[in-house]
Amino acid sequence: MTRRQVKKLKPTKMKTINDTVLVIPNSTGVLEKNLRIRTILSFALIPLSGFATDIYIPSLPSMVTHFNINGPAVQLTIVLFMISAGLSQLFVGSLLDSFGRYRMSLVAILIFSLSSFAIGFSNRIELVYFLRIVQGIAVSVIVVGKRAFFVDMYSGDKLKNYISLFSIVWATAPILAPFIGGYLQVWFGWQSNFHFLGILTLAIFVLELLFGGESLKNFKPFQVNSILHVYSGILRTRDYVYGLTIIALSYALVVIYGMVSPFIIEHVYHHSAVLTGYSSLLSGAALMVGGIISKSLISKSLTSKIVAALIIQALLVSAMAITGLFMENALTFVGFTLSIHIASGFVFNNCFAYCLGRFTANAGVVSGVTGGSLFVLASMFSYGVINTTIIKNQQQLAFVFLGIIVLLGVMFALFTREQRNQQTQNF
């Protein structure tokens, strides 16, 4: 079909299970010759939320000095971003399903870029707090739209394959971001981290202008009652909610380490920010390894995989705590954490793919609810743990990890019970 023929097509209506869907031909068009480029750009933007937090982790102690504040006050910049991004994702999915992905994503990318430059030039922590909230909203539009892009453009085994790659691609952020941020901190100071984010997203903005286009074909009417009905149906699905809690707790293991490791490595073990960057890089690599292992075992039973991963995590955390009694240094601290994060990446990848694939008819909403709830739950839980416990060495971190793994076991037991109940009802 030629581009001229596409333009002549008229909108038609088609019925779905939940509501009426307006089928609108894509006037911008996702041309086949650009589909590969657009897929690459979408994958490039999926880790943006991680880049926005992890790149300046090595700079947290330096920001404490610059703004003359304490550790929790600068850690709040991470928490505010995560909560903002999480809450926004809960709602932007329905907007993207009604008004399209492309233009909203373009505006969000530009806002993120400009706010990154503004943070780099700021001397007031209150302004940084505000801009991080703005960035969280922008990132939610970008990431939800790009995840939904794959559901728009692909189906079947190819879609399943791409979804299974999400957490692996997402893990590139904690691999590359703190590694880059550690060197930027040493060479140019904490501000350069945000300048880097601004330049990176501005370049992607230009590429989106050149090669981008609308991927959504079925524009759903923006009807509040219908949208609330979809949200209600998703959040009443118990196995989905339990799976969501599992990925949030798995991510919290990583977030907690990211928040406390700079202070332990730089203040307790007396190493530089570069080592903090390397440790976060290895942590991200561990998550990716866990995701790759998960992808290679995609045909295996979900229950047996998760149970094995949780048992391995519990054994590793126990060894971490016992080792801390008689030997503790940066090597043991980072080494045990990396092995635990491999199992976390494995659990995260399996359950994240399960949640995203649970409601394919409402890709934007499910993408938003999953990503948003993940960020909100993980950030609130992590910040709560950090402010109610003392984590200044390897053993204390191990005890916190052990408590989270126990919660993971409880949630997975509820998850499997709900799956059995559904199988019984279907039978």
Side-chain angles (χ1 to χ4, degrees), residues 79-297:
V79 175
L80 287 174
F81 170 83
M82 292 181 66
I83 292 177
S84 172
L87 290 176
S88 300
Q89 286 185 58
L90 296 175
F91 306 104
V92 299
S94 56
L95 295 175
L96 291 168
D97 281 345
S98 297
F99 303 108
R101 332 288 195 199
Y102 180 59
R103 290 180 178 83
M104 291 182 66
S105 293
L106 272 182
V107 173
I109 294 169
L110 184 60
I111 290 174
F112 183 91
S113 178
L114 295 177
S115 60
S116 295
F117 288 118
I119 291 174
F121 290 112
S122 175
N123 288 314
R124 294 183 61 83
I125 192 63
E126 295 82 5
L127 178 59
V128 176
Y129 288 156
F130 170 75
L131 291 174
R132 289 295 283 169
I133 292 172
V134 171
Q135 286 193 323
I137 298 171
V139 160
S140 71
V141 175
I142 297 166
V143 174
V144 173
K146 294 309 176 184
R147 285 200 298 256
F149 163 83
F150 289 93
V151 181
D152 294 338
M153 301 309 304
Y154 299 101
S155 61
D157 290 339
K158 199 161 190 177
L159 174 61
K160 185 183 296 184
N161 180 63
Y162 278 137
I163 288 177
S164 69
L165 287 173
F166 282 177
S167 63
I168 297 174
V169 173
W170 174 81
T172 60
I175 292 175
L176 296 177
F179 172 73
I180 295 170
Y183 280 104
L184 288 175
Q185 166 62 37
V186 171
W187 293 340
F188 306 109
W190 69 268
Q191 296 92 339
S192 61
N193 293 307
F194 292 97
H195 294 158
F196 175 85
L197 286 175
I199 294 170
L200 176 66
T201 47
L202 189 59
I204 294 177
F205 174 79
V206 174
L207 291 174
E208 284 281 344
L209 282 176
L210 293 174
F211 301 106
E214 184 56 65
S215 64
L216 182 62
K217 302 177 183 68
N218 302 332
F219 286 71
K220 298 190 176 182
F222 189 77
Q223 299 173 350
V224 175
N225 290 336
S226 176
I227 292 170
L228 291 178
H229 178 72
V230 173
Y231 276 101
S232 175
I234 292 172
L235 295 176
R236 285 202 309 266
T237 306
R238 293 183 181 180
D239 61 311
Y240 172 83
V241 173
Y242 293 142
L244 195 59
T245 306
I246 290 169
I247 61 175
L249 290 173
S250 297
Y251 187 44
L253 286 169
V254 180
V255 174
I256 290 171
Y257 175 75
M259 287 184 175
V260 303
S261 61
F263 298 96
I264 295 176
I265 292 174
E266 296 174 34
H267 292 171
V268 178
Y269 301 140
H270 304 293
H271 292 284
S272 72
V274 171
L275 183 59
T276 300
Y278 274 111
S279 74
S280 297
L281 179 153
L282 293 173
S283 172
L287 286 174
M288 178 175 284
V289 169
I292 293 171
I293 295 172
S294 169
K295 190 175 185 301
S296 67
L297 300 174

Side-chain angles (χ1 to χ4, degrees), residues 281-338:
L281 179 153
L282 293 173
S283 172
L287 286 174
M288 178 175 284
V289 169
I292 293 171
I293 295 172
S294 169
K295 190 175 185 301
S296 67
L297 300 174
I298 195 169
S299 61
K300 302 296 181 181
S301 164
L302 180 63
T303 299
S304 60
K305 290 188 294 187
I306 302 300
V307 168
L310 293 179
I311 291 174
I312 291 171
Q313 276 188 314
L315 293 174
L316 289 170
V317 168
S318 300
M320 182 179 181
I322 293 171
T323 304
L325 292 173
F326 57 88
M327 181 179 66
E328 179 184 351
N329 52 48
L331 181 61
T332 59
F333 177 73
V334 175
F336 276 113
T337 304
L338 296 184

Side-chain angles (χ1 to χ4, degrees), residues 392-412:
K392 293 184 178 180
N393 56 45
Q394 174 179 309
Q395 192 176 44
Q396 290 170 348
L397 182 61
F399 286 133
V400 169
F401 280 176
L402 184 60
I404 296 174
I405 293 167
V406 170
L407 287 176
L408 279 168
V410 172
M411 287 297 107
F412 190 70

